[in-house]
Amino acid sequence: MTHRLTAFPAGEAVRRRDELLDLCGRAFGGAPWHEPPSGTVRTVERLLGSAVGRPDFRAVAAFGPEGALRGFAAGWTDTLLTGREPAFELAELVVAPAHQGAGLGRALHDALLTGLAPGSRLLMTLDVPELTKRYERWGWSVTDRRTTGTPGRAYAVMRRED
């Protein structure tokens, strides 16, 4: 399967809101996330709210030959996960289910992180082996575990130094 990776500026992300909602709904509706539609809307609105307001917003998108959005990765510098020093946070990495398992997630991940100034990178993901092991293969380490108000949801905070 061929795809084209390209920068995904904030304005383009806002313009493609409906596509982002559809993609996130398909990607997060199944295992391991099982996110309800309202969770997908929160995810996209958080992303777009951050995209519009942050000068350090950075995103990469993958498009198929027909122009359909197949995936994206986005992030920005934050202190939320560290509680102290600023670090680039990989905030979202989403791949359409039909394109998972073919290296597209890794390609998006690498494209997003390429060119950043040296420093700490952080992310938070569901604390399930399917996800944490994947990020560990990509150079990340679990540094903390957290729970939220959602029963049965545990998250891993992961870090890497580049």
Side-chain angles (χ1 to χ4, degrees), residues 44-159:
V44 171
E45 294 304 328
R46 174 180 155 254
L47 173 73
L48 296 181
S50 294
V52 171
R54 289 180 170 270
D56 59 344
F57 174 80
R58 196 179 156 104
V60 178
F63 295 95
E66 71 295 344
L69 181 63
R70 291 184 174 174
F72 74 93
W76 47 82
T77 303
D78 210 339
T79 59
L80 186 63
L81 294 179
T82 64
R84 52 190 188 285
E85 84 274 6
F88 184 81
E89 179 185 350
L90 172 60
E92 296 296 339
L93 176 59
V94 183
V95 175
H99 301 284
Q100 293 175 1
L104 183 54
R106 178 66 189 260
L108 286 163
H109 167 274
D110 291 353
L112 182 69
L113 298 181
T114 296
L116 290 172
S120 296
R121 316 287 181 237
L122 294 167
L123 67 83
M124 188 164 71
T125 190
L126 277 179
D127 193 4
V128 296
E130 172 185 347
L131 298 173
T132 56
K133 296 293 183 202
R134 178 178 306 136
Y135 285 115
E136 286 172 346
R137 287 192 309 272
W138 297 353
W140 298 81
S141 301
V142 174
T143 60
D144 192 15
R145 290 192 155 79
R146 299 180 183 178
T147 57
T148 65
T150 306
R153 287 269 174 137
Y155 293 89
V157 176
M158 303 185 79
R159 175 186 288 269

